[in-house]
Amino acid sequence: IECVVSVVVPSLVFGKCVPSAPAAAEASFEPTRFQCELISRVLRGRDALSIPAITLLVEEVLPTTKETATRDPGGMKWTDNTMPVLSACLNRQSILPDAVVAKLADELSFHLSPTSPQSMAKSTKFSTLFHALVTKYGPQ
């Protein structure tokens, strides 16, 4: 769990590694394709993170309730590079609290809306994430 807090989350979420950075720097921050691929491979690998560590990772990369309400950029930036990280987390069938599943569903809904700054409607990686959420956590 310590590696999630000290290594994985700061490489995906700008505010977690540089808490007092200017907003302009935060808006332009985006994890690289290579960072996301490495984290996805760790999540899918034989020596993968534990289920509690994956649960913590999902909780940490989503925006906080305050950021969601004000639509401030918070949490991990949603791109075609970062979607496989969340998909890998969901495919490991970690135990996610109802609040986290609801927050993830809200984020998916927001990124499908026409008011979203970057529409993900035609992204196959986004649809894979959506499918993983529905199949693994649909009843929840």
Side-chain angles (χ1 to χ4, degrees):
I1 290 183
E2 189 175 308
C3 70
V4 170
V5 174
S6 60
V7 177
V8 178
V9 172
S11 65
L12 294 172
V13 182
F14 185 77
K16 305 284 182 171
C17 63
V18 187
S20 61
E26 184 174 351
S28 65
F29 176 77
E30 182 178 319
T32 67
R33 180 176 57 108
F34 302 109
Q35 286 172 310
C36 295
E37 179 64 26
L38 175 64
I39 293 168
S40 294
R41 286 182 186 212
V42 168
L43 291 169
R44 291 187 309 256
R46 202 170 29 128
D47 299 323
L49 296 175
S50 66
I51 298 299
I54 292 173
T55 302
L56 177 64
L57 173 60
V58 173
E59 290 172 352
E60 290 290 320
V61 299
L62 292 175
T64 63
T65 306
K66 177 186 168 202
E67 292 164 340
T68 302
T70 59
R71 279 294 154 208
D72 287 339
M76 178 177 69
K77 189 170 185 178
W78 287 52
T79 66
D80 271 349
N81 295 333
T82 58
M83 293 300 100
V85 173
L86 284 172
S87 296
C89 289
L90 296 181
N91 286 332
R92 286 288 312 277
Q93 296 185 338
S94 56
I95 301 162
L96 296 178
D98 290 342
V100 174
V101 173
K103 194 184 311 182
L104 186 55
D106 288 344
E107 283 298 305
L108 286 167
S109 176
F110 171 72
H111 288 287
L112 284 174
S113 72
T115 59
S116 173
Q118 179 181 2
S119 179
M120 296 278 183
K122 294 182 180 180
S123 169
T124 57
K125 293 177 182 178
F126 185 82
S127 63
T128 301
L129 174 62
F130 186 82
H131 182 263
L133 179 68
V134 170
T135 56
K136 307 290 193 268
Y137 300 95
Q140 194 173 346

